Amino acid sequence: MGTPHDIRRPVTLRTLTPDDWTDWRDLRLAALRHDPGVFGATLAHWENAPEERWRARLTEVPFNVLATPAGMVSATAPQDGAVELLSLWVAPAGRGRGVGDALVGAVVDWARSAGAETVRLRVYDHNARARDLYYRHGFAETGEPEILSRSLGVVSGEDGSNRPHHSRPP
């Protein structure tokens, strides 16, 4: 029989508005402090940013979500049929608890509702845990360095069933 710490708490997602800038700021700075090598941005680039810059980020990037336990993700508006998944991070306490899965799922669902055909993202080659998360959700190598992509359509399987297309490098 499992112990109480084995029980998964449900992941709660909250879509942010510019008025939620302090919540976004706090988690984003924690992400940049804890895992500096997995983002294009740096702590120095954001740690002294004024309120206006944080609000602008939540306005210019239209989809921003926080997860409980701690996690975050964003996505760009569709351009040429593609949405870009940005800034996904799960705090150490939330890892292995379905937070990353919920955040990727939220972006995919939002991208579909926004009329996108594809979700793309950049993930560094050394970030194996994130790459595995994305492969699990049907993202595949594109031939461009560090770029993964997932079609939002379905492909027919050999048995005639429709299922998401999954592709992982050999």
Side-chain angles (χ1 to χ4, degrees):
M1 178 180 264
T3 59
H5 68 275
D6 293 331
I7 298 171
R8 284 188 183 225
R9 290 188 293 161
V11 176
T12 304
L13 301 178
R14 179 169 57 107
T15 303
L16 302 178
T17 70
D19 289 338
D20 298 310
W21 72 273
T22 58
D23 295 335
W24 178 259
R25 177 201 60 202
D26 294 348
L27 196 56
R28 180 66 173 159
L29 293 177
L32 293 170
R33 278 186 193 101
H34 192 275
D35 291 304
V38 301
F39 298 105
T42 65
L43 181 61
H45 186 75
W46 280 99
E47 71 182 330
N48 295 314
E51 175 182 340
E52 296 75 27
R53 184 164 178 216
W54 291 103
R55 285 180 175 274
R57 167 57 172 75
L58 292 173
T59 301
E60 294 163 4
V61 177
F63 186 70
N64 301 282
V65 171
L66 290 186
T68 305
M72 62 192 299
V73 72
S74 295
T76 63
Q79 185 173 357
D80 298 326
V83 159
E84 185 177 0
L85 184 153
L86 303 169
S87 305
L88 190 141
W89 184 70
V90 177
R95 294 178 186 167
R97 297 182 176 185
V99 176
D101 293 314
L103 291 168
V104 171
V107 169
V108 168
D109 290 346
W110 180 81
R112 277 193 181 110
S113 72
E117 300 168 3
T118 304
V119 176
R120 293 175 53 92
L121 59 91
R122 175 178 303 276
V123 60
Y124 295 123
D125 291 336
H126 68 270
N127 194 349
R129 179 174 273 205
R131 294 180 82 78
D132 287 344
L133 170 68
Y134 299 131
Y135 294 143
R136 197 166 61 242
H137 284 271
F139 287 83
E141 302 291 330
T142 64
E144 297 174 67
E146 301 174 340
I147 303 296
L148 302 181
S149 182
R150 174 184 166 175
S151 170
L152 297 181
V154 294
V155 295
S156 181
E158 290 178 15
D159 61 359
S161 66
N162 287 331
R163 59 181 168 239
H165 173 69
H166 296 270
S167 179
R168 181 185 179 128

